[in-house]
Amino acid sequence: DLIFIDPPFQENYYAKILKFISKKQLKENCIIYLESNKNEPIDETIFIILKFKKTANVFSYLLARK
């Protein structure tokens, strides 16, 4: 499964969304794609950063739950 997170950049919803997802039961191989306009802090006690990329003004993350 794939969760795609691309909220409005100016609203700063990332922490709230990741906190919400961290409390949900996800399938074992679920991948989370997150886009942001800044380098977001990722709680690596909960998520594994599979891939990170910066292009122009967009930071992209592929995450999985630990």
Side-chain angles (χ1 to χ4, degrees), residues 47-62:
F47 298 102
I48 299 166
I49 300 173
L50 303 172
K51 189 169 185 177
F52 170 80
K53 186 175 183 179
K54 181 182 185 308
T55 55
N57 296 326
V58 177
F59 293 83
S60 303
Y61 304 83
L62 274 181

Side-chain angles (χ1 to χ4, degrees), residues 25-43:
Q25 179 133 10
L26 303 177
K27 290 187 177 181
E28 186 176 323
N29 59 351
C30 182
I31 301 295
I32 302 160
Y33 176 80
L34 168 68
E35 281 191 356
S36 174
N37 65 334
K38 60 184 178 181
N39 195 354
E40 294 294 332
I42 303 296
D43 186 346

